């Protein structure tokens, strides 16, 4: 402790040698005067004054160095947080802006449903587009008269038109009229129509309607809806098929393809066939009903499939609210096309000439090998 105390005045005295000498001289003079206190006091004052001056100079020098060293440090410390804070605020504002942007379109889309007028216009435009794509659209059941069409339509329940077309030639060859079918052996009929499935129930229906035609309508198929729906196995769908294609009377055929597509297109949300028929019928004039049915069913079988719609090859994609549910790549979608659109045989063994002129291929008979695909 004594060394540290004596070292401090020595360091302070180095820079002020002259002052220290004056103080020392005054102190010795006071002592030599033998009691002259003023001289001793002045000498002591001078000595203490020199020490204070040296202390002030030394003390002033040290804070200056600290201040000089502290200034840049303070600037650096203050500046960096400011930049970080500004960057943080900017990042937060960007995040808020980005989070806010997607919400606007969603609200607008949800808040603006399609008006009735817009729906009618879009539905009719789809019909016009389909008319250009399928100018050869037709019922895909082979028939030569109303009786054959009626029986074929009943048999088409829960099976394909192709299978029905491959089955009916033998049936009609053996039972060409309602009178012939009404008196047939049920077991023989069952064996002939077995490929269509549910052959026992279907045998009962077609033999029952044949007997009703014979007994109530003189062996002729009636052309009125109220008469047709009274026949065994005949509902509104079958009745409209017969009326529209055998008698030229307007009717909407609501099969599985038709119902699926009109719901995808948001023409209606109904699932009951009768309600679907009513809702769609209100969007179109009666004169369009029969051909509309053919076009929609053609499109459902060829492009707008139930599981893998070929969205990328669909001609009405811009008008379809369900676009994107299926394959959107054009090349991949093209491989999903069926029947004449994919270069494959159709469903009729004897299709209309307009279908053949458009590149359609007849279906092969039952048990025959189908012709190879020709491409589009």
């Amino acid at each position: 402790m004594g060394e540290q105390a004596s070292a401090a005045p020595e360091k302070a005295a180095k820079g002020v040698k002259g002052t220290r000498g004056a103080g020392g001289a005054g102190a010795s003079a006071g002592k030599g005067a033998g009691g002259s206190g003023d001289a001793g006091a002045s000498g002591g004052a001078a000595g203490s004054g020199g020490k204070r001056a040296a202390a002030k100079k030394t003390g002033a020098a040290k804070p200056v160095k600290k201040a000089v060293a502290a200034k840049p440090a303070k600037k650096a410390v203050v500046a960096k947080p400011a930049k970080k804070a500004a960057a943080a605020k900017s990042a937060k504002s960007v995040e808020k802006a980005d989070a806010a942007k997607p919400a606007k379109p969603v609200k607008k889309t949800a808040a603006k449903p399609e008006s009735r007028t817009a729906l009618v216009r879009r539905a009719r435009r789809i019909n016009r587009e389909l008319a250009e794509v399928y100018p050869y659209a037709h019922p895909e059941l082979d028939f030569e008269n109303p009786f054959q069409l009626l029986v074929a339509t009943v048999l088409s329940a829960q099976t394909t038109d192709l299978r029905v077309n491959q089955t009916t030639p033998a049936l009609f060859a053996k039972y060409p009229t309602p009178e012939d079918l009404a008196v047939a052996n049920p077991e023989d009929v069952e064996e002939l129509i077995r490929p269509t499935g549910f052959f026992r129930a279907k045998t009962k229906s077609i033999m029952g309607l044949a007997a009703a035609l014979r007994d109530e309508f003189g062996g002729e198929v009636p052309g009125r809806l109220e008469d047709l729906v009274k026949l065994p196995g005949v509902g509104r769908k079958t009745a409209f098929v017969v009326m529209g294609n055998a008698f030229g009377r307007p009717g909407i055929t609501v099969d599985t393809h038709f119902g699926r597509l009109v719901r995808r297109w948001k023409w209606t949300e109904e699932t009951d066939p009768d309600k679907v028929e009513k809702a769609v019928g209100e969007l179109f004039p009666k004169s369009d009903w029969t051909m509309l049915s053919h076009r929609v069913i053609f499109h459902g079988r060829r492009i707008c499939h139930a599981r893998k719609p070929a969205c990328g090859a669909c001609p009405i994609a811009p008008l379809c609210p369900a676009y994107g549910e299926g394959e959107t790549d054009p090349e991949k979608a093209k491989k999903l096309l069926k029947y004449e659109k994919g270069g494959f045989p159709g469903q009729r063994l004897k299709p209309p000439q307009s279908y053949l002129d458009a590149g359609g291929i007849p279906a092969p008979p039952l048990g025959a090998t189908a012709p190879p695909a020709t491409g589009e």
Side-chain angles (χ1 to χ4, degrees), residues 21-244:
S28 56
K31 288 178 182 179
S36 179
D38 292 340
S42 61
S48 63
K51 288 180 183 180
R52 287 174 185 172
K56 285 181 181 180
K57 287 182 181 180
T58 306
K62 286 182 180 178
V64 168
K65 288 181 182 179
K66 288 181 181 178
V68 171
K71 284 180 182 178
K74 287 181 181 178
K75 287 182 180 177
V77 172
V78 173
K80 286 180 180 177
K83 288 181 180 178
K84 287 182 180 179
K89 288 181 180 179
S90 177
K92 287 181 180 179
S93 62
V94 170
E95 287 176 2
K96 287 181 181 179
D98 290 342
K101 285 178 183 177
K104 291 182 180 178
V106 174
K107 289 180 180 178
K108 288 181 181 178
T109 303
K112 192 178 180 182
E114 187 175 38
S115 68
R116 177 70 180 180
T117 301
L119 171 60
V120 171
R121 289 175 179 172
R122 183 170 61 84
R124 295 186 180 185
R125 185 178 172 187
I126 287 176
N127 184 38
R128 291 194 298 270
E129 295 286 341
L130 294 179
E132 294 183 6
V133 178
Y134 309 106
Y136 47 80
H138 58 271
E140 293 191 272
L141 289 170
D142 284 323
F143 69 98
E144 295 178 357
N145 55 58
F147 172 64
Q148 290 187 359
L149 178 58
L150 178 60
V151 171
T153 306
V154 172
L155 293 178
S156 68
Q158 299 183 348
T159 190
T160 63
D161 288 356
L162 171 61
R163 186 51 57 91
V164 173
N165 292 335
Q166 292 174 328
T167 303
T168 52
L171 178 69
F172 295 144
K174 191 169 184 178
Y175 310 109
T177 67
E179 291 83 0
D180 296 326
L181 185 58
V183 296
N185 183 341
E187 293 181 357
D188 294 339
V189 176
E190 287 177 3
E191 193 61 30
L192 287 171
I193 68 171
R194 183 182 292 268
T196 65
F198 303 95
F199 55 90
R200 290 190 179 90
K202 290 180 179 180
T203 294
K204 186 176 181 180
S205 293
I206 63 175
M207 290 188 66
L209 71 85
L213 292 175
R214 179 197 62 191
D215 299 339
E216 300 177 25
F217 299 99
E220 299 293 331
V221 176
R224 299 193 312 165
L225 176 65
E226 53 268 33
D227 293 331
L228 286 167
V229 296
K230 293 178 182 177
L231 300 173
V234 178
R236 290 178 67 87
K237 169 197 163 186
T238 299
F240 280 129
V241 170
V242 174
M243 289 172 56

Side-chain angles (χ1 to χ4, degrees), residues 239-263:
F240 280 129
V241 170
V242 174
M243 289 172 56
N245 298 286
F247 297 101
R249 295 176 181 173
I252 293 177
T253 303
V254 183
D255 70 350
T256 55
H257 302 288
F258 191 94
R260 181 180 73 253
L261 265 62
V262 298
R263 283 188 289 273

